Amino acid sequence: MIAYLGQTLVLLALLSAAAGSVLAFTAGVRHSEDALRWTRRLVYAFAALMIGANLLMEFALLTHDFSVSYVAQVGSRATPTWVTIVSLWSSLEGSILFWGAVLGLYLAAATWWSRNRHPEVMPWALGTMLACAVFFSFLIAGPANPFHHVANPLADGPGANPLLQNHLLMVIHPPTLYLGYVGMTVPFAFAVAALMGGRLGPDLLKSLRLWLLVPWAFLTMGIVLGGWWAYEVLGWGGYWAWDPVENASLLPWLTATAAVHSILVVERKGLLKGWTVTLVLSTFLLTILGTFMTRSGVFNSVHSFTQSDIGPTFLGFLAFGLIFSVLLLAARMSLLESDGRIEDVKSRETFFLVQNLIFVALTFTVLIGTVFPLIVEAVKGVQISVGEPYFNRMALPLGVALLFVMGVGPALPWGKATKAEALRALVPPAASGLVLALVAFVFGVRSTWLLLTLFAGGYTLQVTIKEMFLPVQRRLASGRGSAGQAFGSLLGAGRRRFGAYVAHLGVVMVFIAIGVSSTQKVTHETTLPEGASTQLGAYTLTYLGSEERVEPHRRATVAKVALSKGGERITVLEPRMNHYFTRREPIGTPAVHTTLLGDVYLSMMSIDDQGRLGLRAFLEPMVVWLWIGTAVIVLGAALAMWPRGSTSRVTARAAAPATTEEAAT
Amino acid sequence: MSTADASLPPISRNTRLFAIGALAVAATAFAVITFGGLGENLVYYWNPTDLKANASKAVGATIRLGGLVAPGTIDFDGTNRLAFSVTDGKEQVLVKATGVPPAMFRENIGVVVEGTMTTEGHFTSSRLMVSHDNEYRVPEDGKPVDTEALFKSVLAAEENQ
């Protein structure tokens, strides 16, 4: 019953999207107001139907209706309710269905937001969005249908993949990533609209910027949450392994980050219009490539629990999107003329361009390393992969350069600078860089790359903080308003600028955390009889014994390891091995003791027949700053994109006409 | 805001040459480094037979060696030094690993070890991955191990080890 109802909803969604898409393009050609109005209604209908289908699936999961194929595949009466709810996205068909709902939400929100904006290009934008909606609802209706009717349902199911049940982060990581991936459909549609309309005006640029920033922030969060989940769950003591699927999520992030910055250059100088549009189109195509790599099982990885035969459909869509984008760019890009050009090498726009080129270089590096094994396997039939050293070796210099450019760019003014001005802006921040590198050197750091990272980090930190509070300083110096008002302006008129630098601050934290944690990690593997101790850096680990714990859906072997430093016990850590009743293999869960300076990370390998603990222990310095830094980045992005309220705009204008973004930057 | 091109002074010849030169150098260096880096950092997926066949380039290369743990060859010192042989039914390779063997590690289980061949003739590894699948039992006499399927199975669960 539910199966048929679900299929009906999905088919109606497909119908709405298809009709809407055709109608939108008709409206574009004929300039018909009526058709555009109806297109909007069909977008809302698509969104409502998709959300309805998802709610229906949740209902089927919660009521354990095993006559629905997806429930039969991932459901189990033994799993806790929260696992049942999130198993909507624990497997392929469900995650594509969920994708449909997210797409519906995005399209409806973007349609509503732009209801009174740039009407001349909206038909193209809506038509493109709905064309993507057609593809996904086709996927849900056909190749990845989760609503098959099971004629003779079993009384119980196998339950979701235990790796996914093992941690709460699994509840938020996939939806966040989807909010990033799926959201890139909207800027893609605006970019297509810009090309079709032959114009990237201020209105459309504003829409493009907002709807790029929103999924960008989610993608940033999703990628890092994935790393965090891997760190907390997988037990190998790392957060990033250049796994093809991790790379798949990184690729669109790289191009999107480049685009977020090049949009600023379009806005300020009228340059890089075609380049920006190309980056946005690439971002969307890379999300599709990423989904294909994640979901088709062409790679062996931790994510390949979702192998299926939707690969060809995705590849077809990817090929279509690529050809469409290339043809569109070839035909229309010349219409997006620059309004000027870069006048001086020592200018902010030059370094925006340099930053963009580094991002593109990184994208190519990661893309080549990721797809190269596929090409070799297809051509020569030999199974190989590209090792982590390749990615590290390539990403390291590019990353450090990026960190440095993040300081150099904002230190320079837009347009032109004299040699003296440039030197005045560029030399002082080196002080902070040198101090940071020197402190690390005194504390025994000898890794050249880490010292370079710290220098670049310190340099950028000083520039960032200076630029962040520049408007405040100017206001106070001009004697207008109180200190409170001056700081208040950061969150008022200057919020966008302030948010951008807050995000940069977060990026510096993340870079330093990556640099330190990847070079200063200590690994120790040993076997401990009960009562025995081992040394890990300054810490002493004592194995106190183990115990069995039985939970409704699993049995766990828990080792108790006391952590002490200087003879004083800090805590007792409990790395564990979970045995799920529906699966044969045990799944380990590490125990992590987190401090601001570094984590102690314990992973249980085994307990042998004599009761000895096979232990893998890591000292992971500064890892927590990755998560803190990311939170800061997302906060910055939120500040930068939050629509300006009319009140703050009025007061800001009245209070300080000279301290608008224009004057301050 | 800058205005149209016409109102700007012409770009100096030097600036343009400098920009083009810099870009060309950067792009070339990037391509050389990328493809050089690719070639040096490939990871080969071999079974003991492949390893013997490629003996000349095995020393120093990163290899993921797949096969079964040969019965009667496991030698664990009780803390973190482990030696055993990996077999595919035809050839056998001695593996010396550092680290604690995972819970599932035992004779006749499918494993993938990552490491390289030494000049002394054994394989050295610091990363041991165990197959979680039932399918990879000892093959009947004379039948080779399906290492391709083994790689797929082991690597799917790799990060869990």
Side-chain angles (χ1 to χ4, degrees), chain A residues 373-412:
Chain A
L374 291 183
I375 298 167
V376 171
E377 194 166 352
V379 175
K380 286 172 137 183
V382 183
Q383 205 181 2
I384 57 152
S385 72
V386 176
E388 279 183 49
Y390 161 77
F391 292 103
N392 290 336
R393 182 173 132 179
M394 297 299 295
L396 208 59
L398 291 172
V400 175
L402 209 51
L403 184 60
F404 191 56
V405 166
M406 207 172 90
V408 174
L412 291 168

Side-chain angles (χ1 to χ4, degrees), chain A residues 136-162:
Chain A
F136 279 100
S137 35
F138 166 75
L139 214 55
I140 302 166
N145 186 355
F147 285 112
H148 280 298
H149 179 70
V150 179
N152 299 305
L154 299 168
D156 204 352
N161 187 318

